[in-house]
Amino acid sequence: MKLGGFSGKVLFVDLSRRKIWRETLDPKLAAEFIGGFGICAKMACDLANSDVFDPRNPVIIGTGPLVGTNVPAASRLYAFTRLPANGAVGWGGGGGVTFACNLKFAGYDAAVITGRAEKPSIIKIEDDDVEICDAGDLWGLGINRTCEEIWKEYGEGGIIAIGQAGENLVRFSMAFVDRLSTIGRGGIGAVMGSKNLKAVFVRGTGEVEIADRKRYEELCSQLLDAIRSYPYTKEWQELGLLKSLPLVPKDVYLQIRKKRVACVSCPVGDKDVIDVGGEVYSTSALNLLTPVVMGMGDYRKAVKLTAALDDYGLDMFEFYGLLEFARELDRQGKLELDEEVDFTSLNSMLHWARMITFRQGAGNLLARGFAELEMRSGVKAKSVVKGMRAYVTPRGPLVWNLFGTMELGQIVDPRGPHVAAGGSPTYFAKRPVESFRKHLRRMGLDDAKIDEILSDGIRIGKLLCYSHIWFTILASLGICARAQINRFYSAELCAELYSAVTGINVSRKELMMRAKGVWRMLKLANLKTAEDIPPEDWFEDGFRDYVTGKPLSREDVERMIEEYYEEMGLSFGR
Amino acid sequence: MEIVSHPEKCTGCMRCMLACSYTYTKKFSLSAARIKIKLPEYTIEFTNDCNNCGKCVEHCFYGALEVEK
């Protein structure tokens, strides 16, 4: 049976043996694991059984069945591997920009890359024509130049590329999509680097079919009306996430911004081309947040720093977290730094970005991440969970002291402290109960469950379980999970769209159960690698209860974790 | 009726291309579209087959396409 939405093929590339082959996507696998995120997660749990830099550790890049259609913001791609940061079977999700739809149009729902090329290589995919090409000229280049050179050589198409940080196996290096969108955190860039894989290029000239066009057109027409009539759509388009986080004055931003850039089919593109003093950068203005919060008051310097970090392919949160820890160790006499770490100085930050990327001096140690630094110094770093810096904490890099689903999600997420999957209205402070009720209904919960979650304040653990299910649905279909997008979707609508596009008829409840199964599978695959331990410093005048504002105790958080797993149907003998 | 493009407003989301291909082939593709967004230059071009039906205008979120009557 030919499914709509899916291309029906998985591409396999073994870089060691220079072997390329295709396998048919089993429709039963598609149905059980939904698509995109879910299918890639299943393949990763089956195939990622080696050490992180073992050539057998796969990089699995895939996209959902709605990608390639014109469902708004259906553009996402996910890359799974065993992560260098903590050894977890994990993933980086990225806005697909033009890569994900091109992969689909080339005829693949996913690409599974294993082995290690003898020399720097690029995988070039043009429909059935797949080649492992020499990338010697690109090795040593930053992500920007890499993409420009590839486009110059191969023409239009999507690119996933690494910078020098990935080449040098920095354990918190990322890959970038079309030089704009990050595939992070956890070190996927380093896994690509260990394979001598500089980039993947794809151009597809094929098609995506819809199983039930009439139903699809009706659903999309309603969705389009909802987006067009939403009063803030224009403002989101104009300012993006700066609407909520005015890091740069609006007039300044509009002056330096030369263009908004969007992923395929996205109504609220959040990437920018920025011109600062004649130098043009492709980035997202939101990336200015961390440098500004950490002390770099001059936005022009912050732009330069974020552009440099992006070009190397460094995870900014881990970069800041590690430098903060290293500076503390230096002060304690437990680490010798050859130059001061000054968060207010562009030169200091650029120096450390270079030292880490090229693994020079103390930068070589920092490039190994928190686990190594903790082991060498005998000091426990603050706010580190599963080998990575939690980035929403009361003290930065993203400063926030109310404990909601994103904050708890940093502990229980099987891959480590990520926040994308744990979204809910707790993202904003002091939201009225009614906004939770509305959100929970969209996530597919019935009234009895909503009452249970909203009894006794907000049961954050239970709520997070449904945030993870909701994220898994969106990610598996290929829809962006950002609040500005997912507000237009519901579990009911997702089930309808999925059924119309693929021809696999599912109800809201079935879709939620399958998504829960995917998340549980990822948790079970990571029992040995990652423990859910809240950092001690979170309880030293740190996080506060979302509703009452009272300080949280370790016991409070442990109770939330227990409730989370009860709701997930996993007990772990607690 | 003619379609006027404003490349400076184009974000490269390619919804216009997807809408166009679906209108004429009932399938989504970039190659079958009669409107072409060239990236990373963000130029907007129409093929000779374009009949100014306006579907691309209808689907553009950013005002980069407009129908001039």
Side-chain angles (χ1 to χ4, degrees), chain A residues 214-496:
Chain A
K214 187 169 177 287
R215 194 172 171 195
Y216 174 83
E217 286 165 21
E218 282 167 10
L219 291 166
C220 283
S221 169
Q222 290 162 18
L223 194 47
L224 211 55
D225 287 346
I227 292 172
R228 288 202 190 282
S229 61
Y230 182 60
Y232 300 112
T233 297
K234 281 281 163 218
E235 210 177 344
W236 281 117
Q237 287 178 340
E238 188 68 5
L239 297 173
L241 294 170
L242 289 183
K243 177 180 176 307
S244 312
L245 299 161
L247 299 161
V248 180
K250 185 180 163 186
D251 55 332
V252 171
Y253 169 67
L254 294 177
Q255 198 185 342
I256 61 173
R257 189 195 71 200
K258 296 301 159 198
K259 182 171 270 303
R260 284 298 255 169
V261 181
C263 291
V264 161
S265 202
C266 181
V268 287
D270 71 335
K271 278 104 184 146
D272 302 292
V273 176
I274 289 176
D275 184 337
V276 178
E279 289 189 55
V280 179
Y281 305 95
S282 294
T283 182
S284 167
L286 179 72
N287 291 344
L288 302 178
L289 180 64
T290 298
V292 170
V293 167
M294 296 298 283
M296 199 167 285
D298 184 338
Y299 76 88
R300 287 163 296 198
K301 290 180 179 172
V303 168
K304 285 187 181 183
L305 176 61
T306 54
L309 296 175
D310 286 357
D311 205 38
Y312 289 141
L314 286 173
D315 172 349
M316 189 194 305
F317 297 118
E318 211 69 349
F319 173 75
Y320 267 93
L322 275 160
L323 283 178
E324 208 175 26
F325 186 38
R327 187 172 67 171
E328 185 56 34
L329 292 176
D330 185 47
R331 283 174 183 162
Q332 291 176 21
K334 295 189 172 169
L335 177 72
E336 201 174 321
L337 297 179
D338 48 13
E339 190 170 308
E340 189 194 3
V341 174
D342 179 355
F343 291 123
T344 66
S345 158
L346 175 62
N347 284 340
S348 173
M349 290 294 98
L350 289 176
H351 166 79
W352 283 108
R354 278 192 301 273
M355 297 294 274
I356 291 169
T357 298
F358 296 103
R359 306 193 69 139
Q360 294 165 353
N364 185 36
L365 182 59
L366 268 60
R368 293 165 194 255
F370 276 104
E372 186 82 13
L373 210 48
E374 285 181 331
M375 193 185 74
R376 297 274 187 104
S377 65
V379 178
K380 179 90 182 116
K382 286 187 174 174
S383 279
V384 168
V385 183
K386 298 174 187 173
M388 272 190 270
R389 174 69 187 259
Y391 57 97
V392 183
T393 76
R395 292 176 198 85
L398 289 184
V399 182
W400 180 256
N401 70 356
L402 294 178
F403 200 83
T405 50
M406 287 206 310
E407 292 67 34
L408 183 64
Q410 296 184 110
I411 304 170
V412 300
D413 192 313
R415 64 177 166 155
H418 296 254
V419 298
S424 81
T426 61
Y427 183 68
F428 302 99
K430 305 291 175 199
R431 298 295 281 176
V433 170
E434 198 41 48
S435 77
F436 282 88
R437 206 168 273 284
K438 208 168 141 190
H439 185 84
L440 292 172
R441 276 198 195 104
R442 279 201 302 108
M443 291 203 299
L445 278 69
D446 57 34
D447 284 346
K449 184 54 77 181
I450 293 172
D451 288 342
E452 187 185 325
I453 288 172
L454 299 180
S455 64
D456 191 20
I458 297 172
R459 311 276 283 274
I460 298 293
K462 284 180 185 286
L463 176 54
L464 178 60
C465 169
Y466 293 98
S467 295
H468 282 163
I469 291 170
W470 179 224
F471 167 80
T472 305
I473 290 173
L474 294 167
S476 299
L477 267 60
I479 300 168
C480 180
R482 282 206 170 142
Q484 300 78 23
I485 295 296
N486 92 55
R487 63 167 298 107
F488 298 113
Y489 290 88
S490 66
E492 190 74 46
L493 176 59
C494 286
E496 289 267 348

Side-chain angles (χ1 to χ4, degrees), chain A residues 68-70 98 105 156 205-208 213 216-217 224 228 237 259-269, chain B residues 7-8 10-15 18-19 22 26-31 37-40 42 58-62:
Chain A
T69 72
N70 66 349
T98 68
F105 292 134
E156 276 189 287
T205 62
E207 304 156 336
V208 171
R213 292 205 300 266
Y216 174 83
E217 286 165 21
L224 211 55
R228 288 202 190 282
Q237 287 178 340
K259 182 171 270 303
R260 284 298 255 169
V261 181
C263 291
V264 161
S265 202
C266 181
V268 287
Chain B
E8 73 284 359
C10 175
T11 63
C13 84
M14 303 197 290
R15 264 183 73 79
L18 296 171
Y22 184 77
K26 296 300 168 200
K27 293 170 187 173
F28 290 104
S29 83
L30 298 175
S31 55
I37 307 298
K38 296 276 179 199
L39 300 174
Y42 301 92
E58 200 182 298
H59 283 264
C60 176
F61 283 125
Y62 298 95

Side-chain angles (χ1 to χ4, degrees), chain A residues 477-515:
Chain A
L477 267 60
I479 300 168
C480 180
R482 282 206 170 142
Q484 300 78 23
I485 295 296
N486 92 55
R487 63 167 298 107
F488 298 113
Y489 290 88
S490 66
E492 190 74 46
L493 176 59
C494 286
E496 289 267 348
L497 280 168
Y498 182 76
S499 303
V501 169
T502 65
I504 303 168
N505 279 303
V506 291
S507 67
R508 163 183 60 90
K509 280 194 173 172
E510 283 164 339
L511 193 60
M512 289 173 75
M513 282 309 291
R514 288 173 199 185

Side-chain angles (χ1 to χ4, degrees), chain A residues 11 28 45 54 58 63 78-79 82 84 98 125 129 143 262 265 292 307 316 360 367 376 409 417 428 463 484 545:
Chain A
L11 175 70
K28 283 185 192 157
C45 289
D54 186 310
T63 191
Y78 289 88
R82 192 170 282 281
T98 68
I125 305 167
D129 187 7
I143 286 164
S265 202
V292 170
M316 189 194 305
Q360 294 165 353
R376 297 274 187 104
F428 302 99
L463 176 54
Q484 300 78 23
D545 182 90

